[in-house]
Amino acid sequence: MSQPLQPPTGIPDETDRLMGRRNFLRSSAAFAGLGALAASLSPLRDLQDYTSVDEFVQKYYKEMTPDDMSKVIKRIEDQVQRQYGIRPHVRDLKPMDGVEFVYCLNLTRCIGCRKCVHACVAENNQSRNPEIQYIRVLKLPHGSMDVDKADHLYNPPAVPEKGYFYMPVQCQQCHNPPCVKVCPVHATWQEKDGITVIDYDWCIGCRYCEAACPYWARRFNFTKPDIPKERLNPNMAYLGNRPRKQGVMEKCHFCVQRTRVGRYPACLEVCPVGARKFGNILDPESEVSYILREKRIFIQLKEEMGTNPRFFYYFEK
Amino acid sequence: MSPGHKRPTEKSLRRTNRVLVGVTCGFVALAVAMLASPWKPSTQARIPLVDPSFLEQTAWRKSYADLAREKADLSDFECYVCHEKKNPPPLRYDAEHVLIVPDEHSDIKMGHGTHNRNNLCYNCHNEGNLLTFSTRDGNELQFAESSRLCGSCHGPNYRDWEAGVHGRMNGYWNHQLGEFRRLDCVNCHNPHSPRIPTRQPAPPPHPLRLPFVPGPSAPPATTP
Amino acid sequence: MIRAAKDYLTFLWRCGRIAFVGDWRYYAWMGGLTVFCLLGLHAYCIQFVHGLIVTGMSDEVSWGVYIANFTFLVGVAAAAVMMVIPVYIYDNEELHDLVIFGELLAVAAIIMCLAFVTVDLGRPDRFWHLIPGIGQLNFPRSMLSWDVIVLNGYLLLNVHICGYLLYSRYQNRKPSKWFYIPFVFIAIFWAVSIHTVTAFLYVGLGGRPFWNSSIVGPRFLASAFSAGPAIIILALQVIRRVTQYHITNKALLTLRSIVQVSMIINVFLLINEIFKEFYSGNLHVASSRYLFLGLDGFHALVPWIWTAIAFNLISMFLLILPLSRSLKWLDLACVLCIVGIWIEKGMGLVIPGFIPTPLGALIEYTPSMNETLVCLGIWAFGLLCYTIFLRMSVPILQGTLSKSNEHLPEPDSGAEPVAAPAPH
């Protein structure tokens, strides 16, 4: 295998010249490669407002002191003001004691007008382009709860249509939420009052929760959200409707900025037929307690999943 | 791959040099191409903002109590401007015993109950005093109390309405923290033709990736 | 102590140097791969700035080719260590040195897996949230947290084993059993676990009936142990061709038998799956219908899955027949196997899980040009890494790069070092 060494002769021959050339060309190729590397990074010039140092090192929501939170809120208010020209009021609302929220929806009454969808979009500062809507209304034929038969894009001149019923679906705030189970960084969790919330500044955007949800309730910001300035809702909550960033998840949170101060969620307040009912199930006088006590048939969507949602659909006739 | 065993030949060196020149040129061309053509996002048609009428919370109809609160014109409710006291207007029916609505009240379309069930104005209106309602069990109710009149026949719905479960509530679910507003029956139901009319829905969703499946029964979604 | 550190740094420096030295085929190959890497990097920078909207993904189909490739490559990484079993459990000496090539493939595959997962994240700057202790890793409830731990652990395991064995060979020292034999056995178990954990990512989602089935885990392993050794068979033939490293046909045939058995199991499991989905007629089969037959006029994946099944069947028959003992036919069987399984695991598993959505909507998925360039870039980067690993390890194993010729000039300066006698 071994060959005798050829001592350098001292007189440069053709091979030496070619080898010298090769070494030079090798260096120049490496140099050109580095130049191409720099050029390939050029789109990063357009990066604006991606993250600040404060945001990058921001603590997890549950580990923030009230002082940390007030700094973060100030930063969010400044950001929103810079971007939209309106100074919002952002609060970190905690769950109320002795409260567990439940939502009931009367499928006999819903006419499929989709006003709830758009009221939610307006209240919660959702992106219009690309479009994010937490609520999806399904048009189903009489006699079946099989969602594979659902029509999502119905657009007749008038609703309701004969032979069909309408079922709005949004986050069901399950007792046993698969999204909370699968999130690798605890960015989503369920609070004491039953609302499953997301810390938008902690989410890494892996979209595992979106794959896990059996109700297709979670939405992802594929790009920077586009909220029209004139329709911005300045009454915001940290875990609720403050504007989100590119690359994070969002979903229905039962309008925390409203419900945790005792108000009805936006979808309920706009429903023209009063199909939506919301309240504290721990209060026997609430509408939702009445419904679950008096109505003979109420169901949870996809009950066999074992998620035990806090969202009940009921019928009158 | 490894020239570690013998000195490279001239032929292979020349080839190597040529390849290296090619690689260098390739890198330079690549760098130029990447710098020269900035990527532009594909333009999809902008989704128009929803019509603000779909965001309104106002009830479809105004009740007598609403009108009174707004100090609106209540002359429509002063029956004795036209009618005589102690002389209630007679009801007239056609050949199929369908009520004939007089021309003066032509804006009323009768449709309260199928099979001509509620074909008698005096089922609700008080013959003796047109400014009040009378229930079947003899109660006399003011215009502002019309919901009790509805409840005198529609018991289950009335009980649900009292509990806040039929019809919409607005305001605060937590009654200690704020006011809540319950609408009256007539805010949604026209008492003479109570069935809720059909109406135009808000636009369908716009999925991010087109094309999407048009519904099996609906016409194709209108593009913005 | 200092001496040991200095020796190690010299070793690393020499390995690094040799990665830039080669003949014209080497430069052409590496140059081409680098071009694709840079194109991929450029495409990723665009994605970083504008968001994942530049891909073909949507809320309906929220995972695409990135996760599809990740799933395939975890299988390759797991199977690369499959050669360890015949060598260390069955004392097959033929394959002894080849174990290192398998483990280096595993390292390259894991690097690609980590790259694919990173480019799929919406907020890659928040990766530190995954670090246990500093972040909030949701272990043990989230299967993704398991995946983070096992993949990085597997990477470290293989880097240690290969690094230790190569460095020992470089120093002409017999490697100490305690520094690598236990790790090798851990690696066998760990390899199965990385792929099982990845399978459990899908299986654990009750809301997606297409994935929520106990056959997914075994299928993953069966298909990984077909495609992985198939890649190694091809890689070994390349090594044999471009270096003077001696690889016997017997080694290739041992690997062939692994692919043979795994492929038969894979096809059997496929038959099981198809029967279960289509015989009973219950309702949760929309995704399977979409994949195999098309649904409501949507049939983008139908030609792909049937091509994959055809490739897998042809590959299985070729492997069963003694015909595939000849390298020409074996190579064909391997290529068909790799392509078939790549389609099956990527397009045939990840995408149909999203179509239709849990609410019944049908939105199809096509990867965008940007997304494809990122994928090609990561594949090129993985091949680049593997080539560099081989470029370093083959001379070490052959003895041409060793401590004994440290003092001699490096290969490209005109005088060539003499090959040291091979250690035993």
Side-chain angles (χ1 to χ4, degrees):
Chain A
M1 263 340 145
S2 57
Q3 291 199 348
L5 263 180
Q6 305 251 354
T9 57
I11 304 163
D13 63 350
E14 186 60 18
T15 312
D16 286 320
R17 197 179 65 81
L18 283 171
M19 283 173 75
R21 203 119 178 269
R22 181 192 66 179
N23 297 347
F24 167 73
L25 284 172
R26 207 161 49 192
S27 315
S28 59
F31 201 67
L34 286 171
L37 176 67
S40 69
L41 295 171
S42 60
L44 295 176
R45 300 184 284 223
D46 296 327
L47 196 61
Q48 278 171 346
D49 230 2
Y50 189 73
T51 183
S52 61
V53 177
D54 287 329
E55 257 183 80
F56 181 70
V57 299
Q58 186 176 316
K59 283 195 229 173
Y60 182 47
Y61 175 83
K62 291 187 187 171
E63 290 183 344
M64 278 202 249
T65 62
D67 203 40
D68 292 328
M69 178 53 85
S70 52
K71 285 204 192 77
V72 167
I73 284 181
K74 178 161 186 316
R75 191 197 75 227
I76 294 171
E77 289 179 345
D78 290 339
Q79 263 173 355
V80 173
Q81 183 167 32
R82 218 173 27 239
Q83 201 172 350
Y84 298 96
I86 304 169
R87 184 142 192 106
H89 176 44
V90 180
R91 288 169 297 175
D92 175 31
L93 293 165
K94 299 293 182 196
M96 291 156 81
D97 286 323
V99 170
E100 187 184 331
F101 291 125
V102 155
Y103 214 119
C104 294
L105 207 147
N106 191 338
L107 289 179
T108 309
R109 305 289 171 220
C110 178
I111 56 171
C113 66
R114 292 198 184 103
K115 284 180 84 168
C116 51
V117 176
H118 292 282
C120 169
V121 166
E123 168 71 24
N124 290 302
N125 294 320
Q126 292 165 33
S127 173
R128 310 308 201 265
N129 275 289
E131 190 182 75
I132 292 184
Q133 292 172 342
Y134 295 161
I135 304 173
R136 178 61 66 95
V137 184
L138 305 180
K139 173 179 141 179
L140 285 159
H142 277 173
S144 174
M145 290 291 281
D146 178 13
V147 293
D148 282 336
K149 297 191 174 73
D151 178 5
H152 294 230
L153 300 169
Y154 65 91
N155 194 18
V159 284
E161 297 164 280
K162 240 178 133 47
Y164 296 93
F165 69 97
Y166 299 87
M167 184 162 73
V169 183
Q170 63 212 66
C171 174
Q172 311 271 293
Q173 319 289 355
C174 314
H175 276 94
N176 186 15
C179 57
V180 169
K181 195 162 50 176
V182 300
C183 176
V185 289
H186 284 299
T188 190
W189 66 91
Q190 187 155 98
E191 301 233 295
K192 218 171 47 159
D193 56 0
I195 305 182
T196 305
V197 295
I198 302 175
D199 181 357
Y200 308 118
D201 291 332
W202 195 257
C203 174
I204 59 171
C206 68
R207 306 185 302 294
Y208 196 14
C209 56
E210 193 166 14
C213 179
Y215 305 101
W216 194 65
R218 298 182 69 110
R219 303 284 181 268
F220 181 67
N221 282 288
F222 282 90
T223 188
K224 204 148 171 290
D226 170 26
I227 310 169
K229 288 189 181 54
E230 66 273 18
R231 299 212 181 168
L232 186 78
N233 176 7
N235 181 22
M236 300 178 182
Y238 179 84
L239 292 171
N241 63 338
R242 62 178 172 109
R244 278 71 63 188
K245 292 203 134 175
Q246 170 178 302
V248 298
M249 301 296 301
E250 54 183 84
K251 68 172 187 67
C252 165
H253 42 73
F254 277 1
C255 285
V256 282
Q257 66 276 0
R258 287 172 157 250
T259 54
R260 284 187 178 173
V261 295
R263 297 176 63 191
Y264 285 117
C267 47
L268 183 150
E269 292 217 84
V270 81
C271 175
V273 295
R276 289 169 167 273
K277 296 293 159 202
F278 177 87
N280 176 11
I281 195 67
L282 301 176
D283 171 12
E285 314 273 310
S286 64
E287 293 105 74
V288 291
S289 294
Y290 178 95
I291 291 167
L292 297 182
R293 206 169 44 233
E294 303 288 332
K295 300 298 169 192
R296 195 182 296 185
I297 310 169
F298 52 87
I299 59 147
Q300 294 165 313
L301 200 53
K302 301 202 189 203
E303 196 181 343
E304 72 277 10
M305 294 292 162
T307 49
N308 196 3
R310 286 193 176 77
F311 210 103
F312 295 91
Y313 293 95
Y314 66 102
F315 308 85
E316 311 262 33
K317 60 177 191 278
Chain B
M1 199 143 120
S2 152
H5 283 286
K6 44 184 187 287
R7 223 161 121 91
T9 60
E10 266 192 38
K11 186 164 161 234
S12 90
L13 275 172
R14 276 187 219 283
R15 221 184 258 170
T16 307
N17 289 351
R18 271 201 289 273
V19 165
L20 282 169
V21 168
V23 166
T24 312
C25 291
F27 284 158
V28 170
L30 188 65
V32 167
M34 291 195 286
L35 285 169
S37 57
W39 182 89
K40 281 190 184 39
S42 68
T43 42
Q44 263 184 328
R46 272 193 81 77
I47 300 166
L49 292 178
V50 74
D51 190 313
S53 66
F54 289 113
L55 302 173
E56 269 169 40
Q57 290 179 10
T58 44
W60 284 327
R61 308 180 74 251
K62 286 199 177 11
S63 67
Y64 184 84
D66 293 332
L67 293 170
R69 244 194 313 267
E70 288 168 23
K71 309 214 189 326
D73 175 20
L74 294 170
S75 53
D76 262 353
F77 294 86
E78 285 155 25
C79 311
Y80 288 116
V81 169
C82 298
H83 293 289
E84 285 173 31
K85 287 202 189 220
K86 306 257 196 285
N87 195 5
L91 303 177
R92 281 173 302 125
Y93 295 87
D94 67 8
E96 277 96 34
H97 202 70
V98 175
L99 187 74
I100 298 174
V101 178
D103 292 334
E104 292 86 344
H105 288 298
S106 59
D107 55 325
I108 292 176
K109 301 276 179 291
M110 285 304 292
H112 195 140
T114 48
H115 310 302
N116 293 331
R117 228 182 7 227
N118 229 343
N119 232 350
L120 186 63
C121 307
Y122 299 124
N123 278 345
C124 292
H125 290 283
N126 188 353
E127 253 181 296
N129 179 2
L130 293 173
L131 297 176
T132 59
F133 297 119
S134 64
T135 64
R136 299 315 291 164
D137 52 356
N139 280 323
E140 204 175 320
L141 298 170
Q142 302 301 316
F143 281 149
E145 293 174 298
S146 59
S147 297
R148 280 180 58 195
L149 171 64
C150 309
S152 69
C153 284
H154 297 282
N157 277 344
Y158 187 76
R159 279 196 292 281
D160 281 352
W161 177 79
E162 276 191 316
V165 166
H166 182 99
R168 189 176 75 210
M169 296 268 267
N170 281 83
Y172 283 73
W173 60 265
N174 187 329
H175 301 169
Q176 272 133 18
L177 290 177
E179 291 288 303
F180 65 95
R181 290 180 314 281
R182 178 164 42 221
L183 297 171
D184 282 323
C185 311
V186 296
N187 281 122
C188 295
H189 299 281
N190 180 333
H192 302 115
S193 181
R195 181 179 281 262
I196 305 273
T198 59
R199 49 201 62 241
Q200 193 196 15
H206 299 84
L208 184 59
R209 305 291 169 201
L210 300 166
F212 44 77
V213 188
S217 59
T222 51
T223 39
Chain C
M1 201 61 205
I2 308 280
R3 177 83 204 234
K6 198 155 161 275
D7 284 340
Y8 192 61
L9 286 171
T10 314
F11 162 69
L12 288 176
W13 169 252
R14 291 186 78 199
C15 284
R17 264 219 84 172
I18 207 173
F20 286 92
V21 170
D23 66 355
W24 65 272
R25 292 173 300 179
Y26 184 73
Y27 289 130
W29 171 248
M30 297 299 261
L33 286 179
T34 311
V35 163
F36 275 103
C37 284
L38 292 175
L39 276 171
L41 183 61
H42 179 73
Y44 180 65
C45 289
I46 290 171
Q47 183 187 290
F48 191 80
V49 171
H50 295 276
L52 283 156
I53 201 168
V54 310
T55 68
M57 294 188 269
S58 58
D59 277 319
E60 288 85 2
V61 184
S62 50
W63 277 344
V65 281
Y66 293 155
I67 299 295
N69 275 306
F70 161 78
T71 311
F72 177 73
L73 286 166
V74 174
V76 168
V81 91
M82 263 291 105
M83 299 164 63
V84 171
I85 293 181
V87 171
Y88 286 92
I89 299 187
Y90 296 106
D91 283 329
N92 180 331
E93 278 307 308
E94 285 287 348
L95 294 184
H96 197 273
D97 272 354
L98 305 183
V99 164
I100 293 193
F101 297 143
E103 302 218 340
L104 288 172
L105 177 65
V107 173
I110 290 287
I111 291 174
M112 281 197 266
C113 288
L114 295 173
F116 271 117
V117 165
T118 308
V119 300
D120 188 60
L121 288 180
R123 300 288 312 194
D125 58 311
R126 296 184 187 170
F127 75 94
W128 67 269
H129 296 178
L130 284 163
I131 303 175
I134 309 176
Q136 287 283 328
L137 191 68
N138 184 6
F139 184 84
R141 291 199 83 202
S142 166
M143 293 315 294
L144 243 178
S145 70
W146 282 78
D147 228 4
V148 166
I149 294 174
V150 297
L151 285 180
N152 284 295
Y154 190 67
L155 178 65
L156 291 173
L157 205 56
N158 281 305
V159 165
H160 166 73
I161 295 173
C162 297
Y164 180 70
L165 287 175
L166 286 171
Y167 190 46
S168 305
R169 186 70 74 89
Y170 174 83
Q171 289 182 316
N172 257 322
R173 263 213 306 247
K174 201 162 176 337
S176 151
K177 279 195 181 305
W178 287 110
F179 271 110
Y180 76 100
I181 299 273
F183 294 103
V184 163
F185 282 96
I186 293 175
I188 297 175
F189 156 74
W190 204 286
V192 171
S193 83
I194 60 169
H195 214 26
T196 311
V197 165
T198 306
F200 284 178
L201 274 182
Y202 297 102
V203 174
L205 301 184
R208 306 257 175 200
F210 185 68
W211 292 338
N212 186 222
S213 150
S214 37
I215 208 171
V216 173
R219 259 211 99 187
F220 262 41
L221 285 170
S223 55
F225 294 157
S226 312
I231 293 181
I232 297 176
I233 289 175
L234 297 175
L236 289 178
Q237 289 179 67
V238 169
I239 295 172
R240 199 158 64 170
R241 179 79 86 87
V242 294
T243 73
Q244 275 73 48
Y245 198 84
H246 180 61
I247 296 170
T248 59
N249 272 356
K250 195 148 173 282
L252 295 175
L253 292 175
T254 311
L255 287 168
R256 168 185 171 268
S257 47
I258 297 176
V259 182
Q260 190 183 52
V261 172
S262 303
M263 189 50 117
I264 293 172
I265 297 176
N266 189 30
V267 170
F268 173 69
L269 291 175
L270 170 68
I271 296 170
N272 272 270
E273 238 182 299
I274 292 185
F275 177 81
K276 179 253 181 189
E277 294 289 324
F278 290 104
Y279 183 81
S280 54
N282 68 13
L283 283 185
H284 283 311
V285 296
S287 292
S288 300
R289 287 203 84 87
Y290 170 73
L291 176 63
F292 290 104
L293 303 170
L295 196 58
D296 276 352
F298 284 81
H299 43 66
L301 288 181
V302 175
W304 288 93
I305 191 64
W306 288 108
T307 310
I309 291 178
F311 280 7
N312 282 348
L313 286 173
I314 297 172
S315 171
M316 182 186 76
F317 282 117
L318 282 176
L319 287 166
I320 293 175
L321 297 170
L323 189 61
S324 55
R325 287 178 165 271
S326 108
L327 286 177
K328 196 174 63 172
W329 288 104
L330 180 61
D331 288 347
L332 176 65
C334 285
V335 169
L336 289 175
C337 164
I338 293 166
V339 173
I341 287 173
W342 182 85
I343 296 174
E344 209 178 47
K345 250 174 163 163
M347 291 181 249
L349 173 87
V350 178
I351 312 300
F354 290 102
I355 304 174
T357 67
L359 294 184
L362 278 165
I363 304 270
E364 285 195 299
Y365 163 78
T366 315
S368 66
M369 173 56 87
N370 214 71
E371 212 175 348
T372 312
L373 284 175
V374 173
C375 289
L376 287 173
I378 295 177
W379 271 97
F381 182 67
L383 285 169
L384 199 71
C385 286
Y386 192 49
T387 313
I388 291 177
F389 295 155
L390 291 174
R391 182 77 188 90
M392 295 193 268
S393 58
V394 168
I396 292 175
L397 292 171
Q398 283 176 320
T400 42
L401 184 64
S402 108
K403 195 158 166 47
S404 56
N405 51 33
E406 235 173 55
H407 58 286
L408 293 172
E410 291 297 343
D412 64 347
S413 63
E416 303 304 342
V418 173
H424 43 266

